[in-house]
Amino acid sequence: MAHVMGPEKNQRIETLESSARSRRLSNSALEFFNQCLNFGRSVLPQSCQLCGAEGAPEPLCAACRADLPSLPSRRCTICAVPLATGSFCGSCLDRPPRYERVEAAFLYDYPLDALIHAYKYGGRLALARLLGTALAQNVARDVDVIVPMPLSRGRLAERGFNQALEIARIVAGHTRIALLPEACRKVAETPSQAALPWKERARNVRRAFVCDADLTGRKVAVVDDVLTTGATLNELARVLLRAGAAGVRGWVVARTAR
Ligand SMILES: [Zn+2]
Ligand SMILES: [Zn+2]
């Protein structure tokens, strides 16, 4: 692991080690100390996840962080899709969704797509903090509870974690809004939405969710990583409203353009 550390950090560790020696720590204590250092090296991100620059304090260096695509200010009031003109997209005008609106931190575009891919499929869990913190900074916090977009059992076993839940934990920490990780379950193993034509997406997720919580009178924010058509959010909103929710909002890290 030494090759990923900057010379400054090496120096600091050497200083720590020599001061430990000078205090005549026993061998076993020094060994324990070294194990702690190794553990720290293995869990702390040492280089930028996008460009590989070393010594980045976060998963991203400052330049890559500044490159993340923000959502244009002209967008649909309801589903947040970028618009050339007007306040509502045609789809929300034709068939208003069950959710009130979508709030997003970023536009789903390069290089954020690469980052989310690394997070979901490369298991880069350190990225949840970055994505969740950015999301928390871009939402109106007037909801009562946070519900993560559920993942089916099969998908959970395959991936090892629910990407929406890990982001939701960070958002809940920042906003101090209660997180209900177990409120909803995905009971149907639906094919990935990405593999389907847009028109089939709503049918694909129908009756995919069950809500076990009583949400009477509560405003709910559903946290997810990416929103594309909104079909999945719309179906979960239906179930949440049936469980008594006073309103449902989508909080997503990234919104795709249409
Ligand atoms: Zn970078
Ligand atoms: Zn819309």
Side-chain angles (χ1 to χ4, degrees):
M1 288 304 283
H3 67 283
V4 295
M5 298 194 315
E8 205 175 67
K9 197 162 276 177
N10 270 330
Q11 207 167 46
R12 201 179 318 137
I13 289 163
E14 272 166 29
T15 312
L16 285 168
E17 283 173 348
S18 64
S19 71
R21 269 195 298 275
S22 69
R23 272 184 263 122
R24 294 199 178 87
L25 284 176
S26 71
N27 280 343
S28 64
L30 194 57
E31 196 180 309
F32 174 70
F33 181 69
N34 279 330
Q35 278 170 0
C36 291
L37 278 177
N38 285 334
F39 176 73
R41 286 170 204 160
S42 67
V43 296
L44 292 172
Q46 301 287 335
S47 58
C48 174
Q49 301 273 334
L50 281 173
C51 71
E54 289 187 6
E58 287 189 354
L60 292 189
C61 70
C64 286
R65 179 72 183 77
D67 263 359
L68 297 182
S70 55
L71 206 60
S73 55
R74 188 172 279 283
R75 53 186 190 256
C76 176
T77 307
I78 297 174
C79 73
V81 74
L83 294 174
T85 169
S87 308
F88 297 95
C89 73
S91 161
C92 287
L93 282 175
D94 286 349
R95 300 190 64 183
R98 297 184 183 92
Y99 52 82
E100 294 166 354
R101 67 171 188 266
V102 169
E103 294 168 318
F106 301 108
L107 181 69
Y108 188 71
D109 200 357
Y110 183 81
L112 188 83
D113 50 358
L115 205 63
I116 288 188
H117 197 273
Y119 169 53
K120 275 166 89 165
Y121 305 107
R124 306 284 175 81
L125 276 164
L127 291 172
R129 180 160 298 279
L130 174 94
L131 301 174
T133 302
L135 180 52
Q137 286 163 352
N138 281 279
V139 294
R141 300 178 175 188
D142 53 342
V143 299
D144 303 307
V145 291
I146 294 173
V147 168
M149 179 62 76
L151 205 60
S152 69
R153 277 181 164 198
R155 199 59 59 78
L156 189 62
E158 193 179 285
R159 192 169 296 161
F161 68 103
N162 177 351
Q163 76 276 5
L165 173 59
E166 299 313 314
I167 293 168
R169 285 189 210 283
I170 304 296
V171 176
H174 281 293
T175 59
R176 311 238 166 251
I177 296 169
L179 172 68
L180 303 180
E182 314 276 344
C184 301
R185 287 173 293 134
K186 189 169 185 195
V187 290
E189 291 283 351
T190 53
S192 165
Q193 289 287 80
L196 292 174
W198 283 33
K199 283 187 176 167
E200 283 176 31
R201 292 185 180 199
R203 202 180 324 143
N204 182 42
V205 292
R206 204 165 294 158
R207 282 182 276 281
F209 301 108
V210 167
C211 181
D212 303 314
D214 176 7
L215 297 171
T216 304
R218 296 174 125 184
K219 288 186 177 178
V220 181
V222 175
V223 167
D224 205 356
D225 55 344
V226 181
L227 184 112
T228 306
T229 64
T232 309
L233 176 62
N234 201 38
E235 176 59 17
L236 183 59
R238 186 181 71 78
V239 175
L240 292 167
L241 291 168
R242 186 167 290 181
V248 177
R249 210 170 288 172
W251 284 1
V252 299
V253 171
R255 173 57 165 119
T256 63
R258 212 163 257 167

